[in-house]
């Protein structure tokens, strides 16, 4: 009898356990189905995949944002951790401010417009407050090797606001002015020059970002940017490996044409040109990679003599440091001379060698149209030289654009120059 009773108890417990397990599974499936229905994207809504255990749900991002920032659901996120492709994200809820808090530490992300190397942060913190479809908050970003007092990490800080719609999220960011050295520590913490360069000045910026398209625009604010300690004063006596120096003044036809072709604000900028940099960033983010450099003549000289031509954010930022210091140690006249004596012109380099190779004359004796032809090659010297050898001509639109951009000449001189470059036909050089 006892054996029968024990067997009955075991069977009963087994049935109860199976029943409870079935209820749990059914409840879990029901919760997933409810979440799937509740968060499913509407037609045309910005959507993304959300991992839920072994499953992935397609959710409407605006719906998810509204849910996460609501005062009735946000508190349930407090203390939650998400593993994302950017790094581990710890969530919190500030009841007093009715705001969601997110901390990514460490955090990294690739920004295609800035190159393939990811930006890395020790700590990224963002707060989010929502009022209907208006969002706002603060953010702070601490670099891996930040510059700060008493060895403490110094964070870049800012405020943001945005507008959420079914299709996208538009965000405006205003980053507070901070030491330029601190920005370098965020963007390129491993740059060797940061160990010896004394970098002065401040940088702040305003930005506009749109998700999910990834489009953005930036408006930097730079004040009193100075650099010392890189040794560019040694270039005062530097000699070129391209042959004899051209010894051209800024008023020569070739110098004027080169400035028109490569850096029309050469005599106004301090080594960098924020207008060109903004245009380059806009072009790069449209192309999804490094497409346009926005470099000044001074930056190009730094690339020729120091940094090389790798297409990366680190190389561009190194180039800028050297350019700013060169403006302070060399001056415009010497920078222009060094550029002309080292610039690439296809199979040759240096203005004097180029003038003799292409026109069989000294650079000081070039005719105005010849100077324009040489200057128009600098945009892509190898390809231009190949086209000249193959077709006996250069890109006529670029040649005309360079001629129109030459400054410091009379109207009659410009009209004559445009007539001459339009009809100019020069035989390709014989190698």
């Amino acid at each position: 009898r006892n054996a029968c009773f024990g067997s009955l108890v075991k069977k009963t417990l087994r049935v109860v356990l199976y029943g409870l397990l079935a209820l749990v599974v059914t409840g879990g499936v029901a919760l997933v189905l409810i979440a799937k229905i509740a968060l499913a994207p509407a037609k045309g809504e910005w959507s993304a995949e959300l991992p839920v255990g072994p499953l992935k749900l397609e959710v409407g991002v605006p719906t998810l944002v509204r849910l996460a920032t609501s005062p009735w659901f946000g508190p349930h996120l407090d203390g939650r951790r998400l593993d994302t492709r950017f790094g581990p994200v710890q969530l919190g809820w500030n009841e007093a401010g009715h705001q969601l808090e997110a901390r990514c530490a460490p955090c990294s992300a690739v920004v295609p417009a800035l190159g393939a190397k990811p930006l890395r942060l020790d700590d990224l913190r963002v707060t989010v407050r929502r009022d209907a479809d208006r969002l706002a908050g603060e953010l702070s970003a601490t670099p891996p090797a930040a510059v700060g007092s008493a060895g403490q990490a110094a964070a870049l800080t800012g405020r943001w606001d945005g507008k959420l719609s079914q299709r996208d999220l538009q965000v405006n960011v205003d980053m507070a002015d901070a030491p330029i050295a601190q920005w370098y520590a965020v963007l390129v913490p491993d740059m060797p020059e940061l160990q010896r360069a004394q970098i002065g000045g401040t940088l702040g910026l305003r930005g506009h970002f749109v998700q999910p398209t990834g489009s953005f625009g930036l408006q930097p604010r730079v004040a009193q940017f100075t650099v010392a300690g890189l040794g560019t004063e040694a270039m005062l006596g530097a000699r070129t490996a391209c042959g004899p120096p051209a010894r051209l003044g800024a008023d020569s036809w070739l110098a004027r044409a080169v400035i028109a072709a490569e850096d029309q604000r050469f005599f106004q900028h301090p080594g960098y040109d924020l207008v060109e940099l903004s245009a380059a960033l806009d072009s790069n983010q449209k192309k999804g990679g490094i497409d346009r450099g926005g470099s000044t003549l001074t930056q190009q000289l730094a690339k020729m003599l120091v940094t090389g031509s790798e297409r990366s954010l680190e190389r561009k930022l190194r180039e800028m440091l050297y350019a700013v210091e060169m403006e302070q140690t060399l001056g415009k006249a010497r920078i222009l001379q060094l550029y002309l004596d080292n610039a690439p012109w296809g199979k040759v380099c240096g203005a004097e060698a180029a003038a003799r190779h292409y026109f069989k004359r000294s650079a000081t004796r070039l005719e105005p149209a010849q100077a324009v032809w040489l200057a128009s090659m600098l945009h892509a010297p190898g390809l231009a030289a190949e086209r000249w050898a193959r077709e006996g001509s250069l890109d006529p639109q670029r040649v005309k654009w360079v001629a129109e951009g030459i400054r410091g000449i009379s109207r009659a001189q410009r009209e004559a120059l445009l007539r001459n470059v339009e009809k100019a036909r020069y035989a390709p050089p014989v190698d």
Side-chain angles (χ1 to χ4, degrees):
R1 186 178 299 173
N2 289 336
C4 291
F5 180 76
S7 176
L8 180 62
V9 169
K10 288 181 180 179
K11 289 181 180 179
T12 303
L13 287 174
R14 190 179 298 119
V15 170
V16 171
L17 288 174
Y18 283 154
L20 289 174
L21 180 60
L23 286 173
V24 169
V25 171
T26 303
V29 171
L31 287 174
V32 171
L33 290 175
I34 292 171
K36 185 174 182 179
I37 295 171
L39 299 176
K43 184 178 181 180
E45 185 179 10
W46 171 23
S47 64
E49 283 190 341
L50 178 69
V52 180
L55 304 177
K56 288 187 177 180
L57 300 181
E58 186 177 10
V59 301
V61 175
T63 300
L64 190 62
V65 172
R66 294 186 184 99
L67 182 64
T69 54
S70 63
W72 59 271
F73 185 83
H76 296 288
L77 297 176
D78 191 48
R80 302 285 182 179
R81 173 189 162 114
L82 302 176
D83 291 321
T84 74
R85 60 191 178 97
F86 307 110
V89 176
Q90 190 73 32
L91 298 177
W93 179 261
N94 185 314
E95 188 63 38
H98 285 90
Q99 65 181 18
L100 183 68
E101 299 175 345
R103 180 188 182 191
C104 182
C107 210
S108 66
V110 173
V111 182
L114 300 178
K117 192 172 182 178
L119 298 181
R120 303 194 308 274
L121 297 170
D122 267 1
D123 195 342
L124 175 64
R125 302 186 185 210
V126 181
T127 64
V128 186
R129 297 184 302 276
R130 183 173 63 85
D131 182 6
D133 285 334
R134 294 286 179 177
L135 302 173
E138 292 80 39
L139 61 89
S140 69
T142 304
V147 178
S149 60
Q152 297 299 312
L156 301 174
T157 61
R159 295 178 177 274
W160 69 276
D161 62 77
K163 183 178 180 180
L164 182 67
S165 71
Q166 290 300 96
R167 293 184 178 275
D168 59 29
L169 172 63
Q170 300 190 32
V171 176
N172 300 304
V173 177
D174 190 351
M175 297 299 295
D177 293 346
I180 293 174
Q182 196 172 315
W183 285 92
Y184 267 83
V186 168
L187 297 172
V188 283
D190 300 326
M191 181 188 291
E193 283 79 2
L194 296 187
Q195 301 301 316
R196 66 180 191 274
Q198 293 89 56
I199 305 172
T202 61
L203 168 66
L205 60 83
R206 294 182 64 86
H208 179 72
F209 304 83
V210 181
Q211 288 291 353
T213 63
S215 61
F216 65 93
L218 296 177
Q219 297 177 329
R221 304 183 299 270
V222 179
Q224 299 178 330
F225 189 4
T226 61
V227 180
L230 297 180
T232 58
E233 61 275 6
M235 297 178 188
L236 283 168
R239 294 185 178 183
T240 177
C242 297
R247 305 187 189 282
L248 295 173
D251 59 347
S252 67
W253 278 106
L254 184 56
R256 286 175 171 173
V258 166
I259 290 171
E262 296 296 303
D263 188 357
Q264 295 187 0
R265 286 182 287 273
F266 174 67
F267 289 107
Q268 285 76 48
H269 64 64
Y272 57 91
D273 188 335
L274 293 181
V275 174
E276 278 299 310
L277 286 173
S278 296
L281 190 61
D282 181 62
S283 175
N284 293 341
Q285 60 104 3
K286 288 178 180 177
K287 296 287 186 178
I290 304 296
D291 175 67
R292 175 176 172 178
S295 295
T296 63
L297 276 185
T298 317
Q299 289 175 274
Q300 291 182 49
L301 179 61
K303 179 173 68 174
M304 294 175 200
L305 301 184
V306 184
T307 67
S309 56
E310 177 191 4
R311 285 179 172 247
S312 69
L313 175 65
E314 180 170 347
R315 195 270 298 170
K316 291 297 296 182
L317 292 175
R318 289 183 68 219
E319 179 185 285
M320 186 172 291
L321 287 184
Y322 282 99
V324 170
E325 186 177 285
M326 283 193 290
E327 291 276 342
Q328 298 157 11
T329 60
L330 304 179
K332 295 289 186 181
R334 182 57 177 154
I335 289 170
L336 182 57
Q337 286 179 345
L338 285 170
Y339 180 90
L340 291 170
D341 287 342
N342 289 278
W345 265 286
K347 293 184 178 181
V348 298
C349 64
E352 186 65 23
R356 294 186 182 278
H357 178 71
Y358 291 106
F359 296 112
K360 311 303 180 188
R361 63 177 64 194
S362 171
T364 59
R365 296 181 56 247
L366 287 173
E367 296 174 358
Q370 293 172 331
V372 169
W373 265 54
L374 283 185
S376 68
M377 295 177 66
L378 290 170
H379 180 65
L383 294 176
E386 291 176 6
R387 175 172 177 166
W388 191 351
R390 184 177 64 251
E391 303 177 11
S393 65
L394 300 178
D395 181 351
Q397 294 301 318
R398 178 152 185 87
V399 171
K400 180 182 178 183
W401 180 81
V402 172
E404 290 174 337
I406 292 179
R407 299 180 181 181
I409 61 176
S410 67
R411 179 177 179 179
Q413 286 176 307
R414 189 179 310 282
E415 290 175 350
L417 176 60
L418 288 170
R419 287 195 301 269
N420 289 336
V421 297
E422 185 176 356
K423 65 182 182 181
R425 295 293 183 271
Y426 298 111
V430 179
D431 296 326

